[in-house]
Amino acid sequence: MVDFKSDRYTLDTLLGEGNFGSVYKALDKKTDTFVAIKIEKSQKISQIDMEIDVLQHVSGEEGFPKLIDFGKYGDKSYVVMSLLGQNLHKKFQSIRKIINVETVLDIGLQCLQRIKTLHECYYLHRDLKPQQYLIDDDLHVCLVDFGLCKKFMNSKLMIHIPYTDNRPFVGTANYASLNTHLGIQQSRRDDLESFCYILSYLLNGQLPWIPVDKTKYDEKTIKKMKTSVAPSNLFSSSSLVQFFVYVKSLSFEKVPDYQYLFELINQALFEEKSSSMSIFTVDGSTNSRSSKKLKKKRSRKRTVVNSKFKRSNLCRSLDNINVSVNDSDGTMVCDQLPEFKDRKAFKETLLKAAAENPLVQEKLNCCVM
Ligand SMILES: Nc1ncnc2c1ncn2[C@@H]1O[C@H](COP(=O)(O)OP(=O)(O)OP(=O)(O)O)[C@@H](O)[C@H]1O
């Protein structure tokens, strides 16, 4: 644990560690509540001033941490903020990237709203990635980590920062915009491009430059892959393809039409709702159960649109959930919830079965989530 002593705060557990600091859960003895403290690693260029600056502007806005305190302990600067949930990246890892598409799109809407709020305060985030979104048990999303933010507009004179190139790379290679790789000064369009990569990652469980087998590409290779990526490689929904194409068409200073972007996600949500085939059977059986036991269980399984699951499927342990569709014989199509990469194939199988068998179609119609 980092050397940090304070009359007011008692460090509890480490919540996360980044390149620039460590974040701890701590007890605030003054208010008798738990808070989050970010303690900066000693370094030449401090980011904590920008973090505090942005927090002072966004504190109190929906989906942002509240700034509680800041100061210095020895040569280390720290900032205290409200304690939030787990980061989206970890959350998705812990449920093995299995989550229904509607919930991902709901989360996506919140992620986009946070970017809009930050832009309305004239800040760019410049390091958007799933790790920067924290999510609580009610699936409420907050944005954190403002150390790399940059003011893009002089709020008094309303003058936009100028277009420049040959800039050093700022951000995280996997989610950075292509222009960031190319050394072009970032503006609002770049945060939105990062958002597209985050959304694609959450929907598909991978990005062309972040394969599921954990291969890591270097920044140059990622840049090359982004140069040639087709929108359809990122999204299967035509509305989301439109979203990506719009973001890529934005000029440097252009104010993005956020309303249009929200509508496109809502459109994707609508498309998904009308075609979704996710049918969940909660029967308590584990994947390792013998087929005999499974068969017995299956005979009394409930095909449900589990309301708790629907409301909060990110928070449940999915270990005991099987995916199935009952045809006329009660045949189980799939033993486990499919990984995202298999979801498309799974849906195709179901659609095919439904097209061939009206009874399956009927079951699907009444079980669509
Ligand atoms: N307010 C908070 N409440 C709970 N957990 C938090 C909070 N702030 C940060 N964390 C956790 O700590 C992790 C690292 O935080 P943060 O990204 O701010 O640190 P960083 O050192 O700037 O990281 P990076 O190297 O990614 O820039 C987050 O991903 C999250 O898991």
Side-chain angles (χ1 to χ4, degrees):
M1 193 171 284
V2 71
D3 174 31
F4 179 84
K5 286 185 187 68
S6 152
D7 291 339
R8 181 168 170 183
Y9 306 104
T10 310
L11 296 195
D12 191 273
T13 43
L14 181 70
L15 294 169
E17 204 151 24
N19 296 322
F20 306 100
S22 311
V23 183
Y24 288 89
K25 179 180 170 184
L27 178 68
D28 181 350
K29 286 179 263 183
K30 190 175 162 190
T31 57
D32 199 26
T33 51
F34 281 107
V35 292
I37 300 191
K38 184 169 182 173
I39 303 169
E40 194 172 47
K41 288 177 188 160
S42 311
Q43 56 199 358
K44 277 187 198 143
I45 304 167
S46 168
Q47 292 192 353
I48 217 141
D49 291 343
M50 178 53 84
E51 179 107 32
I52 293 164
D53 195 27
V54 177
L55 276 171
Q56 280 170 335
H57 280 86
V58 296
S59 194
E61 294 281 352
E62 194 193 346
F64 289 87
K66 235 182 226 140
L67 176 65
I68 296 170
D69 189 15
F70 56 89
K72 251 182 169 248
Y73 175 73
D75 62 343
K76 291 186 190 79
S77 298
Y78 67 89
V79 57
V80 185
M81 61 195 124
S82 44
L83 181 67
L84 303 166
Q86 202 176 27
N87 85 50
L88 210 45
H89 187 256
K90 269 195 206 151
K91 197 77 168 178
F92 269 60
Q93 297 290 322
S94 70
I95 58 161
R96 290 174 287 155
K97 296 177 196 141
I98 303 158
I99 179 174
N100 82 34
V101 176
E102 285 172 48
T103 310
V104 175
L105 292 173
D106 271 338
I107 290 169
L109 281 169
Q110 292 188 59
C111 294
L112 180 61
Q113 181 60 55
R114 305 302 168 250
I115 298 173
K116 178 174 180 269
T117 304
L118 192 64
H119 289 177
E120 282 166 354
C121 297
Y122 306 118
Y123 287 104
L124 304 171
H125 191 283
R126 301 200 305 169
D127 193 21
L128 290 171
K129 52 187 169 185
Q131 288 88 336
Q132 316 288 37
Y133 286 105
L134 307 189
I135 187 160
D136 65 19
D137 286 349
D138 294 325
L139 303 189
H140 184 248
V141 176
C142 283
L143 180 60
V144 294
D145 195 4
F146 308 106
L148 290 176
C149 280
K150 184 180 175 107
K151 204 142 199 195
F152 64 89
M153 186 87 86
N154 177 315
S155 42
K156 282 198 185 107
L157 302 171
M158 294 304 281
I159 297 172
H160 196 285
I161 51 169
Y163 179 98
T164 44
D165 52 18
N166 265 324
R167 311 283 311 171
F169 180 87
V170 173
T172 302
N174 283 335
Y175 299 96
S177 70
L178 177 59
N179 280 337
T180 302
H181 290 282
L182 295 170
I184 296 168
Q185 176 77 271
Q186 295 188 46
S187 64
R188 283 168 281 197
R189 61 182 182 179
D190 300 281
D191 277 350
L192 292 173
E193 189 174 326
S194 296
F195 168 77
C196 290
Y197 298 141
I198 294 170
L199 190 61
S200 174
Y201 177 77
L202 298 179
L203 285 167
N204 305 312
Q206 63 183 105
L207 279 165
W209 45 90
I210 317 178
V212 271
D213 65 4
K214 301 224 162 48
T215 316
K216 272 195 175 165
Y217 296 116
D218 59 23
E219 195 258 318
K220 268 196 184 145
T221 313
I222 294 173
K223 172 166 114 184
K224 210 169 152 198
M225 291 172 91
K226 282 182 189 164
T227 311
S228 57
V229 74
S232 57
N233 291 149
L234 299 171
F235 300 111
S236 54
S237 150
S238 58
S239 308
L240 297 181
V241 165
Q242 237 172 298
F243 189 118
F244 185 66
V245 170
Y246 171 80
V247 166
K248 292 289 276 184
S249 73
L250 288 170
S251 58
F252 179 67
E253 289 191 24
K254 179 85 182 159
V255 185
D257 185 346
Y258 300 97
Q259 202 44 47
Y260 172 62
L261 295 175
F262 285 123
E263 276 161 22
L264 286 176
I265 300 185
N266 275 318
Q267 179 62 31
L269 202 50
F270 177 76
E271 285 161 16
E272 181 57 32
K273 271 187 182 152
S274 42
S275 71
S276 179
M277 314 291 282
S278 313
I279 297 162
F280 296 90
T281 297
V282 182
D283 65 6
S285 54
T286 64
N287 299 340
S288 58
R289 226 172 257 271
S290 72
S291 59
K292 203 176 164 191
K293 274 186 182 166
L294 253 179
K295 238 182 179 173
K296 209 174 157 192
K297 280 274 178 189
R298 275 178 207 163
S299 63
R300 58 186 171 86
K301 75 188 170 211
R302 294 175 297 135
T303 301
V304 291
V305 180
N306 184 296
S307 61
K308 190 176 171 200
F309 185 81
K310 222 175 153 186
R311 185 165 46 83
S312 175
N313 57 354
L314 253 178
C315 312
R316 278 177 65 101
S317 156
L318 297 178
D319 283 350
N320 297 332
I321 296 178
N322 287 345
V323 174
S324 70
V325 55
N326 301 322
D327 64 9
S328 50
D329 314 319
T331 313
M332 201 166 202
V333 174
C334 182
D335 250 0
Q336 298 169 26
L337 278 166
E339 291 277 341
F340 257 95
K341 62 186 162 66
D342 297 325
R343 188 180 283 278
K344 213 172 150 200
F346 177 64
K347 274 193 185 177
E348 274 162 15
T349 311
L350 291 187
L351 277 170
K352 208 168 152 230
E356 284 165 6
N357 185 340
L359 279 170
V360 176
Q361 182 68 60
E362 204 180 302
K363 294 269 182 201
L364 290 179
N365 289 343
C366 62
C367 294
V368 163
M369 285 185 77

